[in-house]
Amino acid sequence: MQTEPNTASNTAATQAADGFRNVLTTFRDWWRKDVMSTVDQVAVIEKRRAECELSARYLLMVCMSAGIAVLGLLQGSAAVVIGAMLLSPLMDPIMGVGFALAVGDYRWLRQSGKSLAVGVLFAILFTALVVALSPLQTITAEIAARTRPTLFDLAVAFFSSVAGAYAMIRGREGTIVGVAIATALMPPLAVVGFGLATLNGTVFWGSLFLFITNLTAIALTATAMARIYGFSTSLSEKQTQVQGILIFVAFVVLAIPLFLSLRQIVWETQATRQANNVVIEVFDRRATISQLEPSFDTSPMRVTATVLTPQIVGDAERRAAERMTRQLGRPVEVSLTQLRVGTSAQAQEEAQLARARAQEAAALAQAEDIAERLALLAGVPTEAVTVDRERRRALVTARPLDGATLYAYAELERRIDATEPEWDIRLTPPLRPLPAVSFEAAQPAEGEEAADPPFVMNAQGRQAVALIAWAQTRVGMPLQITGPADAVGAVRVALSTHSIAAQEVVTGPGYGPVQVTWSTGE
C-alpha cells in the first residue's frame, strides 16, 4: 500500500532532475556555441596585456586623475570629483590582474601588479603633496563620504566590474566610462593621500579599506567573468576549483566588515527618524520640525532641533529626551529651539521661509564681521581673508608684525575663535622662532626612593609643546627636535599626540632643555 506512492514520488523527482539537467545542458551548449565562440580570446588578452604596461603616459594620467580628485574633495565639489572618476587610469591594471588570474599567466599578473602598485603609490604621494601645500585641509562632506565603506560599496564594485569585464571581452570599452564613475577608484585613493598628509588615521584607513574593497571586487569579478566566457587557462581542474573557492572566501571576508558598517549607518538613519517622530509627538503632532541634527559620536547622544509650533511646550526637552532614551536604548540629550507660529499650514510655511531668509542674512552678516575682525588682527585687507559660509570656516595668513611672537598670533586666533564657537577659525602666522621645551626633576611617588623617569616636562614645557603643535598645523612645515636623548623622546611623544612627526637630533644622553626649530629639509 505504501510502496506505490513512494515509487510515484521517486519517479517524479527523477523526471524533474532529468528535466533540470537537460535545461542546463541546453544552456551550456548554447553558451559555448553562440556566445563563447564569438569571442576572440587572443585579441582580448593581447589588448589587455598591452594596456597594463607601466609607462610615462600611465603615470601622468594617474597624477592628473589624482590631482583632479583631491582638488574636488578639498572643495567639496562632486562635479570635479566625477572628472577624476572619468579618467580612472587604474582600471586597466586592475582588470589585468583579474584576467591574468583567470588564464593562469603569472608573468602577466606580475606585470599588472607592478603597474598597479606603482600607480597607487604615485597617486597617494601626489595627493598628499597637494594637500600639504593647500591652505584648505578641512574634512569636507566628499571626503567623509569615503571613510565609511559599506556593503553597498562592495555591491557597486561588483556590478560595475561585471559591466567592465563584459565591455572589455565584447570589445565595447566605451561603456567603461560609466564603470569608472560607479567604482570611483581614484577618489578613495585621494582621500588616503589626504589622511596621510594630515596624519588622520581614521580617514587614512577608512578610505584605504574602501579602495581595497573596490580593487579586490573588480579584480576577482573580472576573473570570474573571464572564466565564464571560457578563456583558456593553464590551471588544472583542481586548481580551478581552489581558485573559485578563494574568490568566494575573499568576497565573504570583505562583506563581513562592510555589513557591520552598513548596519551602523542603517541604525543611525532609523534613530534619526525615531527622534523626528518623538519630537513631533511631544508637540501633539501640531508642530513642524524645521531642522533636526543628531550627534551620534557624543556620549550621551545629542539631538538638536528647531521646531515651529503654535504653542510653546515648557518641558518638551525633558519629555523628548526620556522617550528617545527609552526607544533608542542609550542616553540622549535633547536641545529644542521653539518658534511660535500660526496654526495654519500656510502660516508655518511662511514662518519657515522667513526664518530661512533671516538665517541667510544673519549668516552673511556674521561672515562679514568675522572677515573684518580677522583682517584687522592679521594686518591684511578684508579681501585676503577666505570665508566659507557653508562649512563655517575662515582662513587668513597674518602679516609679520614687529615684536609679535607665535604666542601673540595664537592668542589672536583664540580670541576670535572663542567668540565664534561654531566656526573653524584658522590664522596662519609668519615663521617665528619656536619656544624651547623645559623639564624639571620629577617627585617620587609615596614609598619610592626615586622617580621614574627622573625628569618630567614642566608647565612651561607643556605650554611650549602646545604652541609648537598649533604653529606646525597652521604653517605646515616640518620640525626638528634637538637635545638630550631622553628629553627628545619625551617631546616626540608629546607632539605625536597632536599627530605631528619631527626629525630628531640627539646631542647626548639624559634630560635637559630641548630646542624645536623649523626644518629646512637640508
Side-chain angles (χ1 to χ4, degrees):
M1 297 290 293
Q2 297 178 355
T3 304
E4 293 181 0
N6 290 337
T7 302
S9 176
N10 293 336
T11 302
T14 302
Q15 292 175 346
D18 291 341
F20 183 70
R21 280 194 294 270
N22 291 334
V23 171
L24 289 180
T25 300
T26 303
F27 176 79
R28 184 172 62 249
D29 293 341
W30 168 80
W31 183 265
R32 290 175 176 175
K33 180 180 179 181
D34 296 338
V35 178
M36 290 170 53
S37 62
T38 63
V39 177
D40 188 346
Q41 295 186 9
V42 175
V44 172
I45 290 176
E46 289 305 315
K47 187 174 183 180
R48 297 274 65 79
R49 193 194 306 273
E51 293 183 353
C52 293
E53 294 181 356
L54 182 61
S55 63
R57 175 187 173 278
Y58 165 71
L59 295 179
L60 175 64
M61 293 299 292
V62 166
C63 290
M64 294 305 98
S65 178
I68 295 172
V70 75
L71 291 176
L73 293 167
L74 290 173
Q75 297 177 74
S77 173
V80 178
V81 174
I82 290 174
M85 298 180 190
L86 294 176
L87 298 179
S88 192
L90 296 176
M91 178 68 77
D92 287 328
I94 293 177
M95 281 292 189
V97 169
F99 277 79
L101 285 173
V103 301
D105 188 336
Y106 293 104
R107 182 179 179 183
W108 182 13
L109 179 62
R110 287 193 298 271
Q111 174 188 341
S112 300
K114 179 182 178 181
S115 298
L116 178 60
V118 173
V120 168
L121 183 61
F122 262 69
I124 294 176
L125 294 180
F126 185 76
T127 52
L129 176 63
V130 172
V131 173
L133 297 176
S134 171
L136 301 178
Q137 296 184 357
T138 304
I139 298 177
T140 64
E142 289 291 331
I143 293 175
R146 290 168 175 83
T147 59
R148 296 181 65 186
T150 70
L151 199 59
F152 287 152
D153 295 297
L154 180 62
V156 169
F158 170 76
F159 290 122
S160 300
S161 182
V162 170
Y166 173 80
M168 291 181 173
I169 292 172
R170 306 301 295 184
R172 300 172 184 173
E173 285 89 345
T175 59
I176 206 68
V177 173
V179 177
I181 295 175
T183 53
L185 293 170
M186 191 55 71
L189 268 189
V191 178
V192 173
F194 176 91
L196 178 63
T198 58
L199 300 179
N200 189 320
T202 301
V203 170
F204 179 88
W205 293 112
S207 54
L208 182 62
F209 183 44
L210 174 59
F211 173 75
I212 292 175
T213 297
N214 286 342
L215 185 155
T216 307
I218 293 170
L220 296 184
T221 305
T223 299
M225 286 290 291
R227 297 304 302 274
I228 290 173
Y229 270 88
F231 276 67
S232 58
T233 176
S234 59
L235 300 179
S236 66
E237 182 177 352
K238 183 176 181 180
Q239 289 174 323
T240 300
Q241 294 175 351
V242 172
Q243 186 184 74
I245 294 173
L246 291 177
I247 291 175
F248 176 77
V249 170
F251 272 103
V252 171
V253 171
L254 286 175
I256 292 174
L258 293 173
F259 171 76
L260 296 176
S261 178
L262 175 62
R263 187 173 65 175
Q264 176 64 21
I265 293 176
V266 170
W267 182 88
E268 291 179 1
T269 303
Q270 293 175 341
T272 302
R273 184 168 56 250
Q274 288 179 316
N276 190 85
N277 292 335
V278 166
V279 173
I280 293 177
E281 289 174 358
V282 167
F283 288 87
D284 297 327
R285 297 192 173 276
R286 300 172 60 194
T288 301
I289 297 178
S290 175
Q291 184 179 14
L292 187 141
E293 297 180 354
S295 298
F296 299 101
D297 297 332
T298 60
S299 182
M301 171 181 163
R302 184 171 179 80
V303 175
T304 304
T306 300
V307 183
L308 306 178
T309 174
Q311 183 177 358
I312 302 298
V313 179
D315 60 344
E317 292 183 348
R318 179 187 60 79
R319 290 165 56 191
E322 290 177 353
R323 293 188 186 184
M324 290 184 196
T325 299
R326 187 165 57 251
Q327 291 187 15
L328 300 179
R330 57 181 291 187
V332 181
E333 287 185 356
V334 178
S335 177
L336 300 178
T337 300
Q338 302 182 46
L339 301 178
R340 189 167 184 175
V341 298
T343 57
S344 66
Q346 182 179 357
Q348 293 187 358
E349 292 174 0
E350 291 175 352
Q352 283 182 305
L353 290 174
R355 181 174 180 273
R357 295 191 191 100
Q359 286 180 332
E360 178 67 18
L364 179 60
Q366 183 185 32
E368 293 176 350
D369 177 64
I370 291 174
E372 291 175 358
R373 285 187 289 156
L374 270 177
L376 179 63
L377 293 178
V380 298
T382 306
E383 294 75 17
V385 180
T386 302
V387 177
D388 187 344
R389 290 196 293 122
E390 182 179 349
R391 297 178 182 83
R392 296 178 178 269
R393 181 173 55 202
L395 311 173
V396 67
T397 299
R399 183 174 60 85
L401 302 175
D402 293 338
T405 63
L406 281 178
Y407 177 80
Y409 290 105
E411 182 63 18
L412 290 176
E413 181 187 280
R414 187 196 64 79
R415 289 180 181 179
I416 295 185
D417 193 55
T419 62
E420 305 294 342
E422 296 181 354
W423 280 69
D424 179 16
I425 306 294
R426 289 178 176 261
L427 186 148
T428 301
L431 286 182
R432 288 287 189 269
L434 298 170
V437 182
S438 54
F439 291 79
E440 63 183 8
Q443 298 299 321
E446 185 177 353
E448 295 183 358
E449 295 182 359
D452 186 20
F455 290 88
V456 294
M457 204 178 296
N458 57 23
Q460 185 177 0
R462 292 191 295 271
Q463 291 176 358
V465 168
L467 182 60
I468 292 169
W470 171 83
Q472 197 281 332
T473 56
R474 296 299 183 268
V475 176
M477 283 186 62
L479 301 176
Q480 178 175 295
I481 310 173
T482 305
D486 293 334
V488 167
V491 174
R492 181 191 68 243
V493 172
L495 289 175
S496 67
T497 61
H498 299 276
S499 300
I500 296 175
Q503 301 175 2
E504 299 178 21
V505 177
V506 177
T507 58
Y511 286 87
V514 171
Q515 184 62 52
V516 181
T517 57
W518 299 110
S519 175
T520 60
E522 298 179 353

